Amino acid sequence: MNKEQVTARYRTPDGLPVDIAIFTITSHAKPGSYKMLADRKLEVLLVRRSARSSAFPGQWALPGGFSSESETLAEAAYRELQEETNIGADVHIEQVKTVYYPGRDPRGWMPSVLYCALVNEDRLRAISPDTDADEAKLFELDEALRLNLAFDHKELLNDALTFIQTKMMTTTIAKEFLPRTFTIRELYQVIQTVVPDFQEDIANFKRNLLTTKTRQGLIREAIGSDGEPLTTDRNSNRPAQLYEFADYEPRISIYNSGMF
Amino acid sequence: MNKEQVTARYRTPDGLPVDIAIFTITSHAKPGSYKMLADRKLEVLLVRRSARSSAFPGQWALPGGFSSESETLAEAAYRELQEETNIGADVHIEQVKTVYYPGRDPRGWMPSVLYCALVNEDRLRAISPDTDADEAKLFELDEALRLNLAFDHKELLNDALTFIQTKMMTTTIAKEFLPRTFTIRELYQVIQTVVPDFQEDIANFKRNLLTTKTRQGLIREAIGSDGEPLTTDRNSNRPAQLYEFADYEPRISIYNSGMF
DNA sequence: CTAATAGTGTCTGTGAGACATTATTGA
DNA sequence: TCAATAATGTCTCACAGACACTATTAG
């Protein structure tokens, strides 16, 4: 096909929707007279479609909307995020994939560019159902996947999940779910929350992370303004050392265990 | 924005182009009286835009075209591949990303869904310039990136390159560039051709690949119909053992050197 | 013989995994 | 003191990296 014979001769899409899977990890403190590690759960934000919708009325769906000619796709995703939450700037947003196949949307030729956002729970205090009449709610992931979601959003949600699971193991995005400084155990919990398959002795996890040559520069001890190492007692009575991610994205390989 | 108020109220894109970066690795035998390893080069297929094009006439570009309502995006990419080459079915195609920002195409609101294809040189014997008048040519990657490509195709090509480099190290796509059975050295060359940073003693590379527990099941010895191991002398006078990929995609992590 | 690649062997230091043990805090 | 998490220690085996060395083939 020749790119020159464009709009005149060919039908054009009916829009270019952008959908976004907004993930967060919530921690629920366990009751008890002693301080214990919080339960962490991976949750995703869904919105309920209006009862008057022409397609999938009343069903839960990923937040989304149409991108416009005057904005980038990431800007459109960001705008959707803003409309459903009250999160400010510098949120981590990544494009997952773009889908289209005939029949995926009863309203016509509707591709969808899928984004995902990783949001720290601290920044998701109030989910503002906003001016829109639509309802927005965080669901635990399993629950969300059991719902009868609108469109092909169940597949999209699964794709987004696989995407962040891969990223969780191969990049430092765990930091998006953590405060700037965190304990080793918190990091470990976040990884396990997103990737339940990840099972490892925490003592070894810690040693491998901190004392291993190939992982030098990944995280470092958090140092306070007084030059002393920072600690926290938010997870236990005994204070724990705080760490922070350094600016290093390791490159890994299946061919030589470790980095290259 | 509400998804219901669609085509009537909003401007729609002028098309949904799909562009495709078709990569191949060519081997060029070195002259000499002894058998030597071939030089391998990563190359990409570009097409020259017609001199009568309204946009970027005469410049080189990634092959691409408009997807239609009746096909998936991957089908559109595959169709483009077919139009520029004579490659049959089961070609490895992957979606890289989708881009749009105002002004990226002088013809209007044109996003682009970028795919990449990895093609074994054996299957790319004749690049059929086809019925189209447009010229198609393989370029070495460095050369392609030095050209003044049409649109934002230099960025797209860079994105596609980064994409396959990551995939080369973290998945078994090396097989797309290799015959079904290959020598360890050929695998090593393919990896290095795509990712020049990958430098490792080949003796260790081989041992790590073959004798290491965490990489069991990645490749295996190729066995002939007579039950004997297969060898080849295509790279040297001394025959070398042939291997093949098993069906195993390892999962790797930055947190614990190796698989999980 | 030679020139090339294929393949083996060896040694050392580091890391992974499986534990067991001790330390520290608030209630 | 107790209940919880934090932190350290120890032992073994696997593995990565460096390197030297031998083997095989066609010409």
Side-chain angles (χ1 to χ4, degrees):
Chain A
M1 185 188 296
N2 186 317
K3 271 202 180 178
E4 305 319 306
Q5 323 142 330
V6 185
T7 43
R9 291 178 47 181
Y10 295 99
R11 176 150 152 52
T12 68
D14 298 320
L16 185 56
V18 171
D19 293 314
I20 180 163
I22 302 168
F23 293 104
T24 194
I25 292 184
T26 58
S27 19
H28 309 273
K30 277 184 275 192
S33 52
Y34 293 95
K35 271 192 194 171
M36 297 171 63
L37 289 170
D39 266 347
R40 289 176 198 267
K41 294 223 164 67
L42 181 62
E43 305 196 332
V44 63
L45 186 91
L46 299 177
V47 295
R48 191 199 284 280
R49 294 175 60 75
S50 139
R52 320 177 300 282
S53 291
S54 60
F56 304 97
Q59 286 180 234
W60 292 95
L62 295 173
F66 290 91
S67 63
S68 83
E69 184 176 8
S70 61
E71 66 186 350
T72 68
L73 297 169
E75 282 164 2
Y78 183 68
R79 186 168 45 75
E80 289 305 323
L81 181 86
Q82 300 277 38
E83 285 173 19
E84 303 302 342
T85 73
N86 54 358
I87 297 166
D90 59 273
V91 180
H92 186 85
I93 283 186
E94 284 189 73
Q95 193 186 97
V96 178
K97 69 186 292 199
T98 302
V99 290
Y100 175 74
Y101 47 87
R104 72 173 291 274
D105 189 317
R107 297 166 303 178
W109 184 1
M110 292 287 180
S112 180
V113 182
L114 176 62
Y115 275 78
C116 73
L118 286 71
V119 178
N120 191 312
E121 63 177 326
D122 297 341
R123 313 185 59 178
L124 203 56
R125 292 259 176 269
I127 296 155
S128 66
D130 215 49
T131 53
D132 285 15
D134 55 18
E135 205 180 331
K137 187 171 175 302
L138 283 176
F139 288 85
E140 284 183 30
L141 213 74
D142 299 340
E143 196 185 347
L145 287 169
R146 276 195 304 271
L147 293 174
N148 185 18
L149 300 181
F151 305 99
D152 51 4
H153 285 193
K154 185 179 289 193
E155 286 90 304
L156 295 191
L157 182 53
N158 261 315
D159 291 338
L161 175 61
T162 301
F163 183 84
I164 67 163
Q165 286 177 333
T166 303
K167 288 277 179 177
M168 179 62 59
M169 300 316 294
T170 57
T171 74
T172 58
I173 53 159
K175 63 168 164 279
E176 306 300 330
F177 287 130
L178 288 165
R180 198 183 61 77
T181 63
F182 51 86
T183 68
I184 298 293
R185 187 116 193 190
E186 286 166 348
L187 171 58
Y188 180 74
Q189 274 196 315
V190 162
I191 297 173
Q192 283 200 330
T193 303
V194 178
V195 187
D197 279 3
F198 183 79
Q199 294 293 348
E200 184 164 7
D201 181 303
I202 184 136
N204 290 335
F205 174 76
K206 184 177 189 171
R207 189 164 35 73
N208 294 165
L209 207 51
L210 296 174
T211 70
T212 254
K213 272 186 191 167
T214 54
R215 277 180 283 282
Q216 287 299 345
L218 192 56
I219 65 173
R220 69 166 86 92
E221 285 193 348
I223 307 292
S225 50
D226 57 354
E228 288 303 297
L230 292 174
T231 60
T232 183
D233 63 353
R234 63 189 171 227
N235 297 313
S236 65
N237 289 325
R238 174 169 178 179
Q241 173 67 48
L242 284 167
Y243 295 84
E244 61 191 353
F245 275 100
D247 278 313
Y248 170 54
E249 287 285 339
R251 297 188 302 169
I252 55 182
S253 145
I254 59 173
Y255 294 109
N256 63 352
S257 174
M259 324 300 170
F260 67 96
Chain B
M1 189 185 298
N2 187 315
K3 271 201 180 181
E4 306 316 308
Q5 323 142 329
V6 185
T7 41
R9 291 179 44 182
Y10 295 98
R11 173 148 156 56
T12 68
D14 298 319
L16 185 56
V18 171
D19 293 313
I20 181 165
I22 302 167
F23 292 104
T24 193
I25 292 184
T26 57
S27 20
H28 309 275
K30 277 183 276 192
S33 52
Y34 292 95
K35 271 192 195 172
M36 297 170 64
L37 288 169
D39 266 346
R40 288 176 199 267
K41 294 224 164 68
L42 181 62
E43 305 195 333
V44 63
L45 187 90
L46 299 178
V47 295
R48 191 199 285 279
R49 295 175 60 75
S50 138
R52 319 177 300 283
S53 291
S54 61
F56 304 96
Q59 286 179 235
W60 292 95
L62 294 173
F66 289 91
S67 63
S68 84
E69 183 175 9
S70 61
E71 66 186 349
T72 67
L73 296 170
E75 282 163 1
Y78 183 67
R79 185 168 47 72
E80 289 304 323
L81 182 85
Q82 300 278 36
E83 286 173 17
E84 304 300 341
T85 72
N86 53 357
I87 298 166
D90 60 271
V91 180
H92 186 83
I93 283 186
E94 284 189 73
Q95 193 186 97
V96 179
K97 69 185 293 196
T98 302
V99 290
Y100 176 73
Y101 48 87
R104 72 173 291 275
D105 188 318
R107 296 165 305 178
W109 185 1
M110 292 288 181
S112 180
V113 183
L114 176 62
Y115 275 79
C116 74
L118 285 72
V119 179
N120 190 310
E121 63 177 328
D122 298 342
R123 312 183 62 181
L124 202 57
R125 292 259 177 270
I127 296 155
S128 66
D130 214 51
T131 53
D132 284 14
D134 54 19
E135 206 181 330
K137 187 169 175 302
L138 283 176
F139 288 85
E140 285 183 29
L141 213 73
D142 298 338
E143 195 185 347
L145 287 170
R146 277 194 302 271
L147 293 174
N148 183 20
L149 300 182
F151 305 100
D152 51 4
H153 285 194
K154 184 180 288 193
E155 286 89 303
L156 296 190
L157 182 53
N158 261 315
D159 291 338
L161 175 61
T162 302
F163 183 84
I164 66 164
Q165 286 176 333
T166 303
K167 288 276 179 179
M168 179 61 60
M169 300 316 293
T170 57
T171 75
T172 58
I173 52 159
K175 63 168 163 282
E176 305 300 330
F177 287 131
L178 288 165
R180 198 183 60 77
T181 62
F182 51 86
T183 67
I184 297 294
R185 187 117 196 188
E186 285 166 349
L187 171 58
Y188 180 74
Q189 273 195 316
V190 162
I191 296 172
Q192 283 200 328
T193 302
V194 177
V195 187
D197 279 2
F198 183 79
Q199 294 293 348
E200 185 165 7
D201 181 303
I202 185 136
N204 290 333
F205 175 76
K206 184 177 190 171
R207 188 165 34 73
N208 295 164
L209 207 51
L210 296 174
T211 70
T212 256
K213 272 186 190 165
T214 54
R215 277 178 284 283
Q216 287 298 345
L218 193 56
I219 65 172
R220 71 167 86 91
E221 286 194 349
I223 307 292
S225 50
D226 57 356
E228 290 301 299
L230 292 174
T231 59
T232 183
D233 62 353
R234 64 190 170 225
N235 297 313
S236 65
N237 289 325
R238 173 168 175 180
Q241 174 68 48
L242 284 167
Y243 294 85
E244 60 192 354
F245 275 100
D247 279 314
Y248 170 53
E249 287 284 342
R251 296 188 301 168
I252 54 182
S253 143
I254 59 172
Y255 295 109
N256 63 353
S257 173
M259 324 299 169
F260 67 98

